[in-house]
Amino acid sequence: MIKRRKSKEISVGNVKIGNNNPISVQSMCNTDTRDIEATSKQIKELADAGCEIVRLAVLNKDAGEAIKELVKISPVPLVADIHFDYRLALQCINNGISALRLNPGNIGKIEHTQEVVKLAKQQKIPIRIGVNAGSLEKNLQDKDIPLSEKMVESALNHIKILEDLDFDLIKISLKSSDVMTTIEAYRLIAEKVDYPLHIGLTEAGTLKGGLIKSAVGIGTLLSEGIGDTIRVSLTENPVEEVYAGYDILKSLGLRKRGVNFVSCPTCGRTQINLIELAKKVEERFKNYDKDITIAVMGCAVNGPGEAKHADFGIAGGIGEGYIFKKGEIIARVPEAELLQKFEEIVLNS
């Protein structure tokens, strides 16, 4: 059992973050926020995959205006991602956004920050301070200290601005594309403040490489009890970020949403196209929202026994497969009919 770091609780819409609340999974649309049709379609796709919070880039007033319509039709809370222009933050709050991603030190005069904080406090809108290793303040870049320490110092500077304005609805992220820098930065900040932490790597990469780096970085922190909400950043359809997020959480026993899928690595005993079959089974049940384990194993010699913990499974034979339940074989099916028959058994059980 992982002992989680104690953190303050904030609410992003109806999603509670921090304290002992479930670690939430979020993502970000890659559509043009001004395109309401495309953006709302992607928000729904993300929500259908299990995404609990969706962030939107707000680059200008037209995007800020689109927020008004998007919050009306979104099934999940929306976060406005804003850089430099405080007026966009005010516009998004007035248009019903659930949270802001905004660094108070980057929006100019203190009067501008005061305006944003005053309105955010009135509407109970939390602000995520998001520090990225590649865009630190110039005075910190020149310091002769580790990059992780520079990131923490940047975050603390931004936090102080908000705290001096008596604002504490704060969430923090400290992201680097380097795994160990990210881990060290979160470890350091976790000891200094009790605000909830949004964890992840930035610019992690494409699906394969990005998944590996994110699993190592996010998984390490979660295993140490650090992290209250996560985003797996990938150069890919953002829906894949949601699936990856849940897979990381499930592997650590932190969430149980959806199917736990297991399959063997194949060997010389395998007489069925196991790789193709495993991919098809995983794809078919990726949105199946029941807490069950499904296994696809290469042979009937060891398959049912090794995967007897699985609720349902397939063990390969010569041009056929055996469907098993809790380690007991219940059907023998030709390979061409295997997937269809397996679906029927799982869905009707």
Side-chain angles (χ1 to χ4, degrees), residues 176-177 201-214 232-237 241:
S176 168
S177 59
L201 281 81
T202 189
E203 299 136 17
T206 53
L207 188 58
K208 183 179 178 181
L211 278 176
I212 293 170
K213 290 171 68 175
S214 295
V232 180
S233 299
L234 299 171
T235 311
E236 184 52 80
N237 184 327
E241 299 183 350

Side-chain angles (χ1 to χ4, degrees), residues 34-283:
R34 296 171 296 182
D35 187 337
I36 294 173
E37 182 179 355
T39 303
S40 61
K41 180 175 181 290
Q42 190 169 76
I43 290 170
K44 185 179 185 305
E45 290 170 351
L46 289 166
D48 287 345
C51 190
E52 293 161 308
I53 299 170
V54 174
R55 182 158 48 111
L56 304 173
V58 180
L59 281 70
N60 52 40
K61 290 190 296 183
D62 290 337
E65 186 61 25
I67 293 294
K68 184 185 297 183
E69 296 304 314
L70 291 168
V71 297
K72 292 177 183 176
I73 56 181
S74 175
V76 295
L78 301 180
V79 178
D81 190 284
I82 293 167
H83 294 273
F84 309 120
D85 192 340
Y86 79 102
R87 294 167 297 182
L88 297 178
L90 297 174
Q91 183 185 20
C92 287
I93 295 174
N94 286 324
N95 283 345
I97 205 73
S98 292
L100 299 173
R101 191 276 196 183
L102 176 147
N103 289 351
N106 294 345
I107 57 173
K109 299 176 182 177
I110 188 61
E111 292 85 358
H112 296 164
T113 303
Q114 289 171 337
E115 282 191 61
V116 173
V117 169
K118 181 180 178 181
L119 190 57
K121 190 186 296 185
Q122 287 174 357
Q123 302 293 330
K124 294 184 171 57
I125 303 299
I127 294 174
R128 171 160 74 95
I129 292 169
V131 174
N132 280 356
S135 55
L136 292 172
E137 300 88 327
K138 182 65 167 65
N139 65 311
L140 290 176
Q141 291 178 25
D142 297 336
K143 277 197 167 187
D144 187 22
I145 57 175
L147 179 55
S148 58
E149 294 182 21
K150 296 177 185 179
M151 294 167 66
V152 171
E153 188 171 336
S154 175
L156 293 174
N157 290 340
H158 289 299
I159 290 168
K160 186 176 187 303
I161 294 171
L162 295 181
E163 289 182 335
D164 285 349
L165 295 171
D166 194 32
F167 187 86
D168 66 353
L169 298 178
I170 298 170
K171 180 159 56 93
I172 305 163
S173 67
L174 304 98
K175 298 183 180 181
S176 168
S177 59
D178 179 77
V179 173
M180 290 311 301
T181 298
T182 299
I183 290 171
E184 287 302 322
Y186 278 108
R187 284 172 174 166
L188 288 170
I189 199 72
E191 295 175 351
K192 295 179 181 295
V193 299
D194 63 354
Y195 293 115
L197 298 177
H198 165 126
I199 64 172
L201 281 81
T202 189
E203 299 136 17
T206 53
L207 188 58
K208 183 179 178 181
L211 278 176
I212 293 170
K213 290 171 68 175
S214 295
V216 173
I218 295 173
T220 297
L221 290 166
L222 291 174
S223 72
E224 296 175 5
I226 298 171
D228 301 287
T229 183
I230 66 172
R231 180 199 174 188
V232 180
S233 299
L234 299 171
T235 311
E236 184 52 80
N237 184 327
V239 168
E240 296 296 337
E241 299 183 350
V242 180
Y243 295 139
Y246 277 106
D247 284 343
I248 292 171
L249 291 170
K250 285 190 290 188
S251 72
L252 294 165
L254 292 167
R255 292 293 295 265
K256 291 185 177 181
R257 183 187 186 280
V259 170
N260 175 37
F261 181 79
V262 297
S263 60
C264 72
T266 81
C267 70
R269 287 192 298 270
T270 304
Q271 301 294 317
I272 195 171
N273 190 341
L274 183 69
I275 295 173
E276 181 182 351
L277 178 62
K279 287 178 179 178
K280 287 180 177 178
V281 172
E282 185 176 34
E283 176 68 20

